[in-house]
Amino acid sequence: MTGRSDVPGDDRDDYGEEWARDLRIQFEQLLRTKRLTEFEQSRSNRSRLDSPGPQEQASSSSNLRAPSVTPSGSSSRPSSSYGHGHGHGSPAMPPSYSSLRNLPKIPTPPAAHDRDSQKFRNMLVGLSLTPIKYENPGLLDEALQAIPLDRIYSEAEEESQVLQAQAESMGDGRKPEWGYQDCVIRALLRWFKRTFFTWVNNPPCPVCMSPTVARGMTQPTPEENACGALRVELYECSNQACRAFERFPRYSDVWRLLQTRRGRCGEWANCFSMLCRAVGGRVRWVWNAEDHIWTEVYSEHKHRWIHVDVCEEAWDNPRLYTEGWGKQMSYCVAFSIDGATDVTRRYVRKSEHALERNRCPEEVMLYIMQEIKNIRRANMTKEQRFRLEKEDSSEDRELRGYVVASITQAVTRMVPGSSSSVPSTTSRPSGSSPANDDQKLPAEQPGRQSGSAEWVAARRENGRNNQQFQDPRDPPRR
């Protein structure tokens, strides 16, 4: 286009942030106008269908003429004020869901009197600090010293060559399923799960190594507190001749976890995320409101974030929790050095697996996510912010694709004669969308593997075998 006279200074090479902000504001105003025009039109159509009585016909027709809709071919902009259509004496009809469902949600800060939203916002901002420590150069050096790099890179190279050969054997020019950096993370995942870290149900007695029984929580010592242990579980030896006590501090300090090498999903995901960062991966620390933690790693080969649960040795299987464990979830938030993203739609695909999201209004949730991104990206260059915003847009399309796929599958199952089975990935074309990249066969959706059977049953994460069980001796903690 020629003659862009509305750009300040007519600078064609660098529009600047002010121009971009003005353009965004104009777009939002235009979108609001379009939605409100559709709302007024649908309201007038409903009024016509209601067929008012003779005495109400005159006032009704005048009301219908008030919010006149500008024809699409006209050059004038339609009115953006909803209040103009309600300046008459007759009360307004409550709008139907069909007229409001497409209205955009505008990020809104939590109200001063909304304590629940304020509390939730403060908690998320605090959780967003977790990935910052993964950038500590001293910790990165410590992590690299703990990793058998020769073994990891050798396994990654071997797997990468196998995947490359498989892709070439197809003869259609397709790319390998995973890139070399993905293979590095996969090798790290196997080593961490099978060799490096240990799962703790009840820690053994430090004196006689007998099983212990949970006795509740106790206060952390100054040394434990300094290493991030905000709570300490207390256990008593079950041997009547011993009765010794064992403390189990729930450390959050990654350096300390590199020494202890034990814990549950919180410690596992925290330490593994740090090691992924040490070998050059871009990582996210994913928090779930229903008491679970895992990791996401960005794949430059796939150009998307990959689900990684080191406790289960799970790779790119986000439906594991809902369709495998039988878990219901409300919030899944991914935190990284670049910000925070609500990724619930990646892990909750069906309405029967979704819990009510009542911590704050959705508009406030959007605001909190954007607020954290603004904090993390404040000192970045324009090029870095542009790259991240492009990734955000791509991920948003991916997450919306999951919603569309879920609705399509639900509607398809309602059609007589249609198959309700999950489509197999073996017949998926190479150019399929990312929304289909994580499809797993039903046999690949097991119940939870980590943790004792009683602990898993108490948390109702054993898939189809979910049972009502609660063992008071073993508190269900991360």
Side-chain angles (χ1 to χ4, degrees):
M1 296 178 65
T2 61
R4 188 186 292 272
S5 60
D6 56 341
V7 178
D10 198 23
D11 187 357
R12 302 170 188 268
D13 296 330
D14 186 7
Y15 294 124
E17 296 184 1
E18 184 177 356
W19 175 83
R21 183 173 63 254
D22 293 341
L23 185 63
R24 176 180 59 80
I25 294 175
Q26 293 176 19
F27 173 76
E28 290 180 352
Q29 291 176 346
L30 183 62
L31 190 60
R32 292 192 193 98
T33 300
K34 179 178 180 296
R35 299 304 189 193
L36 291 173
T37 300
E38 294 175 352
F39 169 76
E40 293 290 351
Q41 188 175 17
S42 63
R43 177 176 174 272
S44 61
N45 292 337
R46 288 198 310 274
S47 299
R48 292 191 185 98
L49 294 176
D50 286 344
S51 301
Q55 296 180 354
E56 300 174 356
Q57 185 68 36
S59 60
S60 175
S61 61
S62 63
N63 288 337
L64 289 173
R65 288 193 298 270
S68 59
V69 179
T70 304
S72 59
S74 175
S75 60
S76 61
R77 176 175 293 184
S79 172
S80 61
S81 175
Y82 176 66
H84 293 335
H86 295 275
H88 306 281
S90 60
M93 294 178 58
S96 65
Y97 172 73
S98 61
S99 64
L100 293 177
R101 62 183 176 184
N102 292 324
L103 289 177
K105 294 185 182 296
I106 306 301
T108 307
H113 62 275
D114 190 353
R115 294 187 177 181
D116 291 338
S117 296
Q118 292 279 2
K119 182 179 179 181
F120 190 52
R121 179 257 175 197
N122 294 337
M123 185 192 70
L124 292 179
V125 171
L127 291 174
S128 70
L129 301 176
T130 300
I132 295 180
K133 57 177 170 281
Y134 302 154
E135 306 301 317
N136 186 318
L139 284 178
L140 291 174
D141 290 340
E142 288 281 345
L144 286 175
Q145 293 177 13
I147 302 173
L149 294 177
D150 291 341
R151 169 183 172 180
I152 298 300
Y153 290 139
S154 176
E155 291 184 9
E157 181 67 26
E158 181 179 355
E159 182 180 22
S160 178
Q161 292 178 358
V162 170
L163 294 176
Q164 180 68 35
Q166 289 177 348
E168 292 177 354
S169 67
M170 301 303 295
D172 55 2
R174 69 177 60 187
K175 297 194 305 182
E177 184 179 6
W178 300 106
Y180 174 74
Q181 184 62 24
D182 301 327
C183 295
V184 171
I185 302 298
R186 286 162 61 90
L188 186 68
L189 171 67
R190 293 188 294 267
W191 165 78
F192 192 99
K193 165 71 173 180
R194 304 175 187 181
T195 305
F196 185 70
F197 229 68
T198 302
W199 183 272
V200 174
N201 291 309
N202 288 20
C205 174
V207 178
C208 64
M209 302 303 294
S210 299
T212 59
V213 179
R215 295 305 186 195
M217 310 296 291
T218 186
Q219 291 296 322
T221 65
E223 293 79 12
E224 294 168 341
N225 205 351
C227 292
L230 301 181
R231 66 181 191 269
V232 177
E233 298 175 7
L234 187 64
Y235 294 86
E236 184 180 8
C237 180
S238 59
N239 186 350
Q240 296 294 330
C242 180
R243 312 301 294 181
F245 286 90
E246 169 68 347
R247 301 169 63 87
F248 179 36
R250 304 305 305 276
Y251 292 117
S252 62
D253 183 79
V254 183
W255 180 86
R256 184 59 177 163
L257 293 177
L258 290 173
Q259 316 304 319
T260 62
R261 303 184 182 185
R262 68 172 191 169
R264 301 197 192 109
C265 56
E267 292 88 348
W268 280 63
N270 196 9
C271 190
F272 177 73
S273 299
M274 177 66 186
L275 297 184
C276 290
R277 189 72 188 98
V279 297
R282 292 175 56 195
V283 299
R284 280 173 168 177
W285 180 81
V286 185
W287 168 85
N288 168 235
E290 285 67 47
D291 200 33
H292 192 48
I293 304 290
W294 61 90
T295 306
E296 286 184 348
V297 179
Y298 190 78
S299 171
E300 298 291 348
H301 185 77
K302 294 278 192 177
H303 301 291
R304 64 181 177 90
W305 289 95
I306 306 298
H307 158 257
V308 186
D309 192 324
V310 66
C311 301
E312 305 294 294
E313 200 177 320
W315 172 268
D316 196 26
N317 190 6
R319 297 186 298 142
L320 169 69
Y321 309 116
T322 55
E323 300 181 29
W325 295 6
K327 188 179 181 71
Q328 293 181 306
M329 300 190 291
S330 57
Y331 294 94
C332 300
V333 183
F335 299 98
S336 72
I337 189 63
D338 301 322
T341 305
D342 184 358
V343 294
T344 309
R345 290 174 290 178
R346 177 174 292 129
Y347 299 95
V348 182
R349 307 291 180 83
K350 299 179 181 178
S351 59
E352 57 263 32
H353 298 140
L355 291 178
E356 183 181 4
R357 292 164 59 96
N358 54 11
R359 300 286 189 95
C360 69
E362 292 302 318
E363 294 81 359
V364 174
M365 186 67 180
L366 292 174
Y367 175 86
I368 297 172
M369 296 295 99
Q370 191 60 48
E371 179 186 20
I372 296 175
K373 287 179 181 178
N374 292 339
I375 294 174
R376 296 287 168 261
R377 303 176 184 181
N379 298 325
M380 293 183 179
T381 64
K382 183 190 301 184
E383 290 75 15
Q384 290 174 325
R385 290 198 299 269
F386 179 78
R387 175 180 59 82
L388 292 174
E389 288 171 1
K390 187 176 180 180
E391 287 182 4
D392 294 341
S393 178
S394 177
E395 183 176 29
D396 186 62
R397 289 194 299 269
E398 174 193 345
L399 297 178
R400 283 189 277 112
Y402 294 138
V403 178
V404 173
S406 176
I407 296 174
T408 303
Q409 187 179 20
V411 172
T412 302
R413 286 199 298 264
M414 298 171 60
V415 178
S418 64
S419 175
S420 60
S421 61
V422 179
S424 172
T425 58
T426 57
S427 60
R428 186 178 67 245
S430 60
S432 61
S433 63
N436 294 326
D437 284 348
D438 64 350
Q439 294 287 341
K440 303 289 183 182
L441 296 176
E444 298 180 67
Q445 301 288 354
R448 182 163 189 165
Q449 306 299 307
S450 56
S452 64
E454 295 80 5
W455 185 79
V456 172
R459 296 166 58 93
R460 297 184 58 79
E461 295 174 349
N462 52 352
R464 299 178 181 178
N465 297 322
N466 276 337
Q467 300 175 359
Q468 295 287 350
F469 180 89
Q470 178 63 49
D471 187 353
R473 301 174 301 171
D474 197 0
R477 301 284 184 180
R478 289 192 185 94

